[in-house]
Amino acid sequence: MGVICSCSDDRNCGTEGTLVINHGSITFQHSGSPVFRVRVAVSPCHVTMARPAMNEEFAVVDLPFEYASMPDGQVCPDHFRGWLLKWTNYIKGYQKRWFVLSNGLLSYYRSQAEMAHTCRGTINLAGAFIDSEDSCSFVISNGGTQIFYMRASSEVERQRWVTALELAKAKAIKMLESDEEEDTNSEKAENIKPLNAKLEDLQTCNDLVGKHGSALQRSIVELQEVEDNPALAAKLKFVNEKATLFRITANAMISACAEFLELAQTQEKRWQKSLQLERQRRINLEETVEALAKQHNTLERACRKNTSKLPDLPESELGHDSDDEEEELEEDEENAEFFDAIAEHPEGFTLSVSKSRESLQSSSSEQSVGMDGENAKPLLARTLSDTTGQASAEIKQEASKDSVTGTSETSTAKDTEGSDVASDGRSISTDPDNKAVMAPFTVGGSFAVTQSTERLGTKLFRKKIPDKPDISINLWSILKNCIGKELSKIPMPVNFNEPISMLQRLTEELEYTDLLDKAAACETSTEQMCYVAAFTTSSYSTTAARTGKPFNPLLGETFEFDRTEDLGWRSLAEQVSHHPPASALHVEHKEWIFWQEFTCTSKFRGKYLQVIPHGVAHLKFNKSGNHYTWKKVTTTVHNIIVGKLWIDQSGEMDIENHTTKDVCHLKYDAYNYFGRDTPRKVTGVITDSSKVVRYVISGTWDNKLDGAKVVYHRSPSNVKQPASTPHKSQAQTLPPVTLWKKNPALPGCEKMYYFTEFALALNDSDDSVAPTDSRRRPDQRLMENCKWDEANQEKQKLEEMQRIRRRKREAEASEAQAEGKVYEGYKPVWFENVVDEVTDTAVHVYKGGYWEAKERQDWSLCPEIY
Ligand SMILES: CC(C)CCC[C@@H](C)[C@H]1CC[C@H]2[C@@H]3CC=C4C[C@@H](O)CC[C@]4(C)[C@H]3CC[C@]12C
């Protein structure tokens, strides 16, 4: 601002200049030199001293350390500044520098004047280490190349600085993490602080202007009284008038400032008020959403009860037990009871699951008949029309006799494992040992839990883990503050977890790799596609009952599963990115390789949570060179607010064979409460390179998948055919053949997170695995062993350590950037980033070395993460 100089009694020069308010000091810069500085130490917290000085060059006086302190002697961490001695080098030694601590950054300058233009260095306190060396010295470093060695004038001063720095560091860390945590009230108060500080600056400015204004006038009057030279008197009169004007203007400014102050204060109150209002509104909205969800749930139940014609739905989906349906309905209305991931009555739940499986089977066998109730519309033809439209016209249901044969075959399959494979010559399977499709893990046909391990190849895998404790937490109470947030960013206690990591969960997709072995043996690529399709669907088989959240792997966490001896493959997964979480998986078998990078985004919309997977899964058969890719469908977790959690899969999936150009288009129907369709239905068609439909796929993702070959007959010459019809023929589907069937559930699995035998084996301890292996993750192991409190503590510790590592990398990155260097960033150990030839995007693929390292038990490459 432009002002008139009133520099001291003896040198009143009255020239115009500039008044600069900067970091607590007000500098008056004459139009000509020299600079003249008024030291007022305006601090947002407290004004420590007001020391007008007037040295010619630099009037800031030598109070060596100047700090903003609270009235009670506490330091204010936000704006702390002062002179300190900083070590430069052995030639120059310690040099006096002006340090400013503000907004989580510690910066230094040669002088205060330099603050306006040249900062000599800054350390971000968020990732900084602060250490006291001796009574007056302390060191601050960013964990990397930046280290400041400093000396204060006294022990007290050093302690003040260290305290201020520690406080500022804590605050900076909190700020960094604020995207992961909700804003707190104190943080909001912090936001208002700078405004208050500026208001105080203004006030001080007002006071000063007033003070200097009257001093100026007083001097003029005195001059007038002393001097009797008329010419000078006239001049003085003129100056006095100007001074009066100046005072009037200053007064006007003062009252404007006062008004501004008042206004700002009332504004602040208004903001506070509307914030309060918004908070209240949010609470009301939460309550409304909750109430609506409850009503919706009750309506759904009532509707299902009254619509007797609706297909038998799995009870588990509805989140209640069949026995006490009515009772519970009333209870729900009255008490608005909440459920969560923990089944309230596990036994009842088991019952309903097994019942639902039967009902599903009956409905899927109904599907195999190819007739849809009253409409008597051929189902396979309809399936086709659903998915391909045009192709449907070309396919007609085979003679009903054939279909009935198909039916009886499939319906008996319900009871006798393995018998649902059509055994006639029309079977699409070339593998005579179809039984294995049914139960690759049913060694000796026994699933007895009394036996704790089972022999598989040479390795023994456990068949039991400790029963899940019955500790309930209301999920909604945790999630309601996180609507719209990413699932991976929502801090959740282990109570909602299942004791396996996401890396293990992805490996679990390999439960039915026998399908890939079958696929490898197929004669035609379209037949091979059938088994590949069945493999992709089989990955969802466990999701129906599993509502636990897998542990989010730590960056650098790995999971290996060596099943070479019994299943012919071994897999390695690594967490290659933390935010966004990304896991890379690589599986090798002598006939095929399977690899994928898995990431997902989640949408939490109150009543349900949607997990949208990204990334492409690859499968390559060594002999034929057939290279398949596909993307996963969307997983929806229902009943987040009220009722038992249940999971649905929906969306479309294209499995492409890039070598032959065959495509399998699969459709996962979203569950429809009021529709008559089989729940969890999967339908699809396989077309070859000339877009001719070769197979029709149908089934359910939680139970089994059938494939029916499409054959084309020459049509009578008098029937007109559409131009696109292959060979001018009529299409028919042969009776379906079961491609995949889910393994039976383990008895007592409801107490073991609904794990299958395969899933139980995943986290079985193994001393030979890498130190980063999920099996070694302490919180997950504690959770498995029912020590949930300890697990929660350990989880927090591990996550905090991960945050510290991340911050260190961030600091290194910004430092490298500041120095103009290239920062390589985090690099996974066993996977490397390459451009995917199919998707043309960067993905992580296995670069080798893990198994060799394991052979040597040389884990020197592994980071320390636990
Ligand atoms: C709020 C709570 C408790 C949420 C729990 C969400 C759980 C059930 C969700 C989150 C991520 C989901 C997984 C995401 C991706 C895949 C890969 C797919 O090929 C099989 C299903 C599978 C493995 C999903 C299973 C269900 C899953 C684990």
Side-chain angles (χ1 to χ4, degrees):
M1 68 181 90
V3 290
I4 311 285
C5 179
S6 62
C7 53
S8 95
D9 307 5
D10 54 355
R11 280 187 47 189
N12 250 347
C13 63
T15 53
E16 270 196 48
T18 319
L19 192 64
V20 183
I21 308 174
N22 196 357
H23 283 268
S25 61
I26 300 175
T27 314
F28 179 76
Q29 173 99 53
H30 283 252
S31 310
S33 56
V35 171
F36 158 69
R37 180 173 283 205
V38 183
R39 192 92 189 87
V40 284
V42 184
S43 125
C45 305
H46 193 63
V47 177
T48 42
M49 52 185 173
R51 210 165 185 239
M54 33 134 237
N55 272 347
E56 33 341 343
E57 181 52 65
F58 212 68
V60 184
V61 199
D62 285 339
L63 252 203
F65 304 100
E66 180 227 343
Y67 48 89
S69 73
M70 307 291 270
D72 57 1
Q74 269 185 312
V75 283
C76 168
D78 225 357
H79 293 269
F80 198 80
R81 58 196 150 265
W83 293 103
L84 283 171
L85 293 175
K86 178 184 174 291
W87 177 259
T88 307
N89 54 39
Y90 281 102
I91 299 162
K92 293 187 174 160
Y94 278 102
Q95 288 189 307
K96 200 173 134 188
R97 294 286 177 261
W98 179 249
F99 278 86
V100 176
L101 169 57
S102 177
N103 291 327
L105 301 172
L106 178 70
S107 313
Y108 73 94
Y109 309 85
R110 283 228 178 105
S111 65
Q112 282 155 293
E114 224 191 61
M115 275 168 66
H117 48 88
T118 318
C119 173
R120 302 278 158 182
T122 298
I123 276 191
N124 186 346
L125 290 169
F129 300 98
I130 305 151
D131 256 337
S132 297
E133 290 247 288
D134 57 39
S135 61
C136 295
S137 312
F138 60 100
V139 187
I140 171 160
S141 88
N142 65 352
T145 49
Q146 242 179 335
I147 305 178
F148 295 174
Y149 293 94
M150 280 161 324
R151 193 171 279 173
S153 69
S154 68
E155 192 169 350
V156 177
E157 289 304 331
R158 191 222 57 204
Q159 198 43 49
R160 280 205 171 105
W161 269 104
V162 171
T163 314
L165 289 167
E166 289 288 5
L167 286 171
K169 178 183 167 179
K171 211 186 131 200
I173 290 171
K174 215 166 151 195
M175 296 276 276
L176 253 185
E177 281 159 18
S178 61
D179 66 321
E180 284 166 26
E181 287 148 27
E182 275 285 282
D183 283 0
T184 60
N185 285 347
S186 68
E187 265 171 339
K188 270 169 199 140
E190 292 289 315
N191 293 342
I192 296 163
K193 261 192 186 167
L195 194 73
N196 271 330
K198 283 286 156 243
L199 290 180
E200 274 181 48
D201 280 357
L202 265 175
Q203 188 71 68
T204 319
C205 193
N206 280 346
D207 295 349
L208 268 171
V209 170
K211 212 173 95 190
H212 294 305
S214 12
L216 175 68
Q217 280 217 300
R218 241 181 293 124
S219 330
I220 295 168
V221 170
E222 274 167 26
L223 255 181
Q224 256 179 331
E225 280 165 7
V226 174
E227 204 55 66
D228 48 302
N229 179 338
L232 202 71
K235 275 238 179 267
L236 277 173
K237 197 176 163 230
F238 177 76
V239 174
N240 204 1
E241 274 168 20
K242 286 272 172 223
T244 315
L245 261 179
F246 168 74
R247 260 188 37 167
I248 294 168
T249 323
N251 274 340
M253 198 186 83
I254 288 165
S255 41
C257 283
E259 275 164 34
F260 172 79
L261 200 97
E262 217 179 282
L263 230 125
Q265 271 161 355
T266 47
Q267 286 287 69
E268 192 193 309
K269 273 187 207 138
R270 251 191 48 204
W271 284 123
Q272 292 271 11
K273 247 190 186 166
S274 59
L275 189 75
Q276 200 54 40
L277 208 88
E278 286 305 321
R279 273 206 198 118
Q280 193 53 48
R281 273 192 198 147
R282 202 187 74 176
I283 294 168
N284 291 347
L285 218 72
E286 272 168 18
E287 282 168 5
T288 315
V289 170
E290 225 172 270
L292 274 173
K294 280 175 211 154
Q295 281 170 19
H296 192 200
N297 197 278
T298 319
L299 275 173
E300 279 170 350
R301 290 182 190 191
C303 170
R304 216 184 75 78
K305 240 186 125 248
N306 297 333
T307 324
S308 49
K309 276 197 168 173
L310 285 178
D312 269 348
L313 299 180
E315 299 290 346
S316 58
E317 285 193 352
L318 301 164
H320 59 100
D321 309 320
S322 48
D323 305 345
D324 321 311
E325 196 169 306
E326 220 158 300
E327 229 170 79
E328 213 186 84
L329 205 140
E330 278 162 26
E331 211 177 81
D332 238 40
E333 276 164 354
E334 282 167 24
N335 307 339
E337 197 183 334
F338 286 100
F339 295 89
D340 55 38
I342 297 117
E344 298 271 301
H345 311 288
E347 296 80 9
F349 195 57
T350 326
L351 255 177
S352 54
V353 167
S354 52
K355 190 178 156 200
S356 71
R357 194 179 308 119
E358 266 170 43
S359 65
L360 267 179
Q361 272 172 339
S362 60
S363 45
S364 54
S365 54
E366 183 189 307
Q367 215 179 52
S368 319
V369 186
M371 310 299 266
D372 187 20
E374 316 125 49
N375 299 337
K377 187 184 168 196
L379 184 115
L380 286 173
R382 196 195 60 194
T383 306
L384 216 53
S385 71
D386 284 346
T387 43
T388 54
Q390 174 235 341
S392 68
E394 299 159 21
I395 297 180
K396 267 196 195 156
Q397 183 62 29
E398 221 190 345
S400 60
K401 188 178 135 267
D402 275 358
S403 304
V404 171
T405 324
T407 315
S408 60
E409 277 164 1
T410 334
S411 53
T412 41
K414 199 162 64 181
D415 312 304
T416 333
E417 269 174 18
S419 62
D420 46 355
V421 179
S423 50
D424 62 6
R426 295 168 306 188
S427 163
I428 58 166
S429 172
T430 50
D431 188 342
D433 184 24
N434 250 325
K435 239 183 191 144
V437 180
M438 303 306 141
F441 287 92
T442 330
V443 181
S446 151
F447 276 87
V449 267
T450 42
Q451 201 187 328
S452 67
T453 50
E454 194 177 343
R455 192 155 257 281
L456 279 168
T458 51
K459 194 168 163 56
L460 293 170
F461 288 105
R462 61 185 181 177
K463 289 187 80 180
K464 188 145 179 53
I465 53 168
D467 285 356
K468 180 185 177 182
D470 198 1
I471 309 168
S472 271
I473 294 189
N474 181 348
L475 180 61
W476 175 234
S477 71
I478 292 180
L479 295 187
K480 66 178 165 194
N481 295 318
C482 307
I483 297 181
K485 254 195 182 181
E486 271 291 317
L487 184 61
S488 61
K489 286 197 172 178
I490 303 175
M492 266 205 262
V494 298
N495 305 47
F496 300 104
N497 281 114
E498 50 182 9
I500 56 170
S501 72
M502 195 60 198
L503 299 176
Q504 291 168 311
R505 190 74 157 100
L506 287 174
T507 309
E508 207 185 327
E509 288 184 16
L510 302 167
E511 177 165 353
Y512 298 94
T513 44
D514 58 307
L515 293 171
L516 299 185
D517 304 343
K518 280 175 199 298
C522 284
E523 272 158 18
T524 67
S525 65
T526 46
E527 188 187 339
Q528 185 174 64
M529 178 69 96
C530 285
Y531 285 104
V532 174
F535 174 72
T536 65
T537 303
S538 72
S539 78
Y540 296 101
S541 67
T542 56
T543 60
R546 297 263 292 277
T547 51
K549 182 178 174 286
F551 279 74
N552 210 1
L554 298 167
L555 185 62
E557 188 171 322
T558 56
F559 179 70
E560 60 140 279
F561 208 33
D562 189 351
R563 302 294 294 254
T564 323
E565 294 196 26
D566 57 340
L567 303 174
W569 53 261
R570 60 187 185 183
S571 72
L572 177 71
E574 181 177 350
Q575 190 71 359
V576 291
S577 157
H578 178 55
H579 271 314
S583 321
L585 175 78
H586 177 88
V587 194
E588 47 195 36
H589 182 281
K590 67 177 188 326
E591 304 272 8
W592 48 263
I593 35 170
F594 173 57
W595 72 100
Q596 63 173 325
E597 181 175 313
F598 179 83
T599 50
C600 61
T601 42
S602 49
K603 273 190 204 152
F604 173 41
R605 293 282 148 84
K607 223 176 111 59
Y608 63 87
L609 176 122
Q610 258 182 349
V611 181
I612 303 136
H614 303 289
V616 171
H618 292 257
L619 172 69
K620 203 168 181 173
F621 289 94
N622 297 338
K623 237 185 266 153
S624 60
N626 284 342
H627 182 173
Y628 294 86
T629 60
W630 65 91
K631 284 184 186 160
K632 292 169 199 301
V633 295
T634 299
T635 301
T636 310
V637 187
H638 289 274
N639 280 353
I640 295 284
I641 303 177
V642 67
K644 279 196 184 75
L645 295 177
W646 63 276
I647 293 190
D648 198 21
Q649 310 291 351
S650 60
E652 296 186 17
M653 180 194 271
D654 275 325
I655 310 169
E656 290 174 61
N657 179 340
H658 296 273
T659 319
T660 61
K661 307 290 173 219
D662 301 335
V663 175
C664 174
H665 182 78
L666 288 181
K667 196 164 155 241
Y668 288 66
D669 285 356
Y671 178 71
N672 176 3
Y673 243 99
F674 308 104
R676 281 151 195 267
D677 270 344
T678 318
R680 299 162 180 162
K681 198 171 89 179
V682 183
T683 49
V685 285
I686 294 173
T687 49
D688 62 15
S689 56
S690 42
K691 307 271 177 286
V692 176
V693 178
R694 293 293 172 201
Y695 287 94
V696 176
I697 305 288
S698 67
T700 53
W701 51 260
D702 67 326
N703 191 31
K704 68 172 195 144
L705 204 69
D706 292 340
K709 196 180 168 90
V710 179
V711 288
Y712 296 89
H713 300 296
R714 274 201 183 283
S715 52
S717 50
N718 55 352
V719 178
K720 243 188 148 201
Q721 292 293 322
S724 59
T725 309
H727 323 302
K728 294 242 177 298
S729 60
Q730 211 175 22
Q732 287 182 330
T733 52
L734 298 181
V737 167
T738 298
L739 299 164
W740 160 74
K741 174 113 180 61
K742 190 182 133 184
N743 290 330
L746 271 180
C749 70
E750 67 283 347
K751 294 195 198 102
M752 300 190 286
Y753 311 87
Y754 290 94
F755 278 179
T756 60
E757 205 176 316
F758 187 82
L760 280 182
L762 292 166
N763 204 38
D764 204 352
S765 308
D766 184 339
D767 290 341
S768 65
V769 299
T772 45
D773 199 279
S774 299
R775 294 174 183 87
R776 297 190 189 269
R777 192 171 158 164
D779 51 349
Q780 197 175 299
R781 186 64 70 195
L782 281 166
M783 192 230 159
E784 191 185 276
N785 292 328
C786 309
K787 294 186 176 144
W788 286 12
D789 285 344
E790 287 98 319
N792 275 325
Q793 277 170 21
E794 190 62 46
K795 185 166 175 259
Q796 269 179 9
K797 240 195 269 166
L798 289 176
E799 283 166 357
E800 179 55 30
M801 268 151 60
Q802 168 154 274
R803 250 173 253 140
I804 291 171
R805 288 194 295 272
R806 187 192 70 205
R807 263 181 242 129
K808 200 173 155 212
R809 279 194 305 276
E810 279 167 4
E812 277 164 18
S814 53
E815 200 181 301
Q817 198 188 22
E819 287 166 17
K821 288 188 203 145
V822 190
Y823 182 70
E824 294 239 303
Y826 178 81
K827 281 232 162 79
V829 182
W830 312 108
F831 287 77
E832 63 188 348
N833 227 345
V834 298
V835 175
D836 187 318
E837 54 195 86
V838 175
T839 55
D840 212 22
T841 51
V843 288
H844 285 91
V845 295
Y846 181 53
K847 66 175 176 199
Y850 180 87
W851 302 105
E852 292 77 4
K854 186 182 178 182
E855 191 68 39
R856 299 190 305 272
Q857 279 295 301
D858 168 13
W859 301 119
S860 52
L861 287 175
C862 296
E864 207 180 299
I865 53 169
Y866 303 137

